[in-house]
Amino acid sequence: MPAEKKDHEPSGTPETIDEPQGTRVIQAPALPTEQPTTPVVNRDESEKASPPQAAAAPAPDDPTSPVWMTSSDLAVGRKQPEDAELTLTTGTSTDQTITGGPDTSQEGALRSARRDREDGPESASSLTAERLLAGTERPPMGGWRRWLYSASFGRINVGDSDKVRIARAMENRVGYRMGDRTRYVPILSRKGGVGKTTVTTLLGMVLADIREDRIIALDANPDRGTLSDRSPGRAEFTARQLVQNRFMVDSFSQLSNYVARDGSRLDVLASDTDPAVAQAFDDSDYRAVTDILGRYYSIVLTDSGTGMVHSVMNGTLDKADSVVLVSGGSVDEARLASETLSWLEAHGRTDLVSSAIVVINMSAGSTTKVNVDEIEEHFRSRVGTVVRLPYDPHLAEGSRVDLAKLRPATRMAATELSALVVDGLHS
């Protein structure tokens, strides 16, 4: 006898309505008590209220049509077609859609574009403080700007003056990386006593103080040089001893035994101070020394002698990438410096003349009535750059140079000279 059909009563188990293949619907049971604030519309009612084309079941073989799945199918991990939408219909007014295909959102597109760049994904070094920390400006260096910054507990920052910003820009130029080849810069002068050794020391100390690579100053004066007397270090060995032991030096630690460095990052290779030495420092000695220095240093400064026709000058100019010509503030000093440029042009080194830097050294002071502005104008007609080194009582002493004791104007001029030298070496 067929079982008696009972009236349908709501229970906790949802009723499943058969749909075309590939589509299953979960209908939540009606609540037995109070009506929810938001009306629940089941799928049958929405289909009746919708136009016929909206109520039509999706094609089973259409990969772009949504697939209706039950919670049990999701729990057991039923396999769904690639790029298919999984739509869950619950007893609320909002349906939740889960997309199983690739991320096509705008955020995903930007993320993929970053991965697919020509230079590849960003490295960890790109996460700089300037990029990640907003509004962190450097406090002013000093003066009333620094006082105002401290008095306002960092809330008022008017920045540095133009003078300080120019100095920082020059320091950035000095620190420019020039590659893996050693650069040679001789400092020339045809007259003694114009401050060639002082300029070599200042230039080397500023370069070594700002740059991160190794800088060395070589005293290549064939006679008695004084470079080691102006540098803050004590030299126990000389360039000649390095030449004699050159086949025994095969590391920087061994080379460090021959150079002087004390209180400065500048290394100095001194010349002979013994008056009993009969043989002068010549061309072959210079080439042998610079071949060794070129293995371990980025910039080699050469404090040359006054003799342009000496044999050591041949190797000095052959290896030179740029030259610094030092002139004094007197008539004869300026004339000899200009004749040095003429000598270089006559011997086929017009390339060095065009890139030469002339330094008018007034650091020792001058009580003459010479118009230094006219000297500067003369050299500007022959070379591209002229730097005037002002009077400084610390440099006028003729003793060891200490950058901390220089006047601000002298330090600025030395930094400008260093920046110009580096500009000429990498341009």
Side-chain angles (χ1 to χ4, degrees), residues 19-74:
E19 293 292 335
Q21 185 178 0
T23 305
R24 305 182 65 183
V25 179
I26 307 173
Q27 179 179 358
L31 297 177
T33 57
E34 58 180 328
Q35 194 73 10
T37 57
T38 303
V40 179
V41 181
N42 57 33
R43 188 168 180 269
D44 292 337
E45 294 175 353
S46 62
E47 288 178 353
K48 293 178 182 180
S50 304
Q53 59 272 18
D61 298 334
D62 187 2
T64 63
S65 61
V67 179
W68 301 83
M69 301 185 65
T70 63
S71 57
S72 59
D73 293 330
L74 293 177

Side-chain angles (χ1 to χ4, degrees), residues 58-254:
D61 298 334
D62 187 2
T64 63
S65 61
V67 179
W68 301 83
M69 301 185 65
T70 63
S71 57
S72 59
D73 293 330
L74 293 177
V76 299
R78 178 187 175 188
K79 184 177 181 182
Q80 63 273 12
E82 187 178 2
D83 299 343
E85 285 188 351
L86 307 182
T87 303
L88 303 181
T89 302
T90 60
T92 61
S93 60
T94 304
D95 294 342
Q96 298 178 353
T97 302
I98 303 176
T99 304
D103 188 0
T104 59
S105 63
Q106 184 178 3
E107 181 181 356
L110 293 175
R111 195 163 52 244
S112 300
R114 291 177 181 176
R115 295 194 189 102
D116 298 338
R117 296 186 310 170
E118 294 182 359
D119 53 351
E122 293 182 345
S123 61
S125 60
S126 63
L127 299 176
T128 60
E130 291 78 7
R131 177 181 178 183
L132 302 180
L133 300 179
T136 56
E137 298 182 359
R138 182 185 299 180
M141 290 288 293
W144 66 269
R145 301 169 185 268
R146 181 75 182 197
W147 177 88
L148 180 61
Y149 179 84
S150 301
S152 63
F153 299 98
R155 297 179 181 179
I156 302 178
N157 187 355
V158 296
D160 287 308
S161 62
D162 294 339
K163 186 177 180 180
V164 174
R165 294 176 181 177
I166 292 174
R168 285 178 176 171
M170 286 193 298
E171 291 180 357
N172 292 334
R173 290 163 54 194
V174 175
Y176 182 87
R177 296 185 179 182
M178 297 180 295
D180 55 355
R181 184 177 67 85
T182 302
R183 267 70 172 185
Y184 299 90
V185 181
I187 290 82
L188 307 177
S189 175
R190 293 189 63 185
K191 188 179 186 304
V194 298
K196 175 173 52 62
T197 301
T198 301
V199 173
T200 304
T201 305
L202 274 178
L203 176 60
M205 293 182 67
V206 173
L207 288 174
D209 183 63
I210 298 178
R211 296 183 60 84
E212 297 180 356
D213 46 8
R214 297 168 180 166
I215 314 295
I216 189 169
L218 166 64
D219 194 342
N221 196 327
D223 301 320
R224 204 288 195 194
T226 60
L227 180 62
S228 60
D229 296 337
R230 304 303 304 272
S231 303
R234 178 175 298 178
E236 299 181 359
F237 298 94
T238 63
R240 184 178 303 279
Q241 292 172 317
L242 178 59
V243 172
Q244 295 173 353
N245 302 329
R246 62 184 180 274
F247 299 109
M248 302 172 57
V249 177
D250 56 1
S251 65
F252 179 73
S253 59
Q254 294 177 342

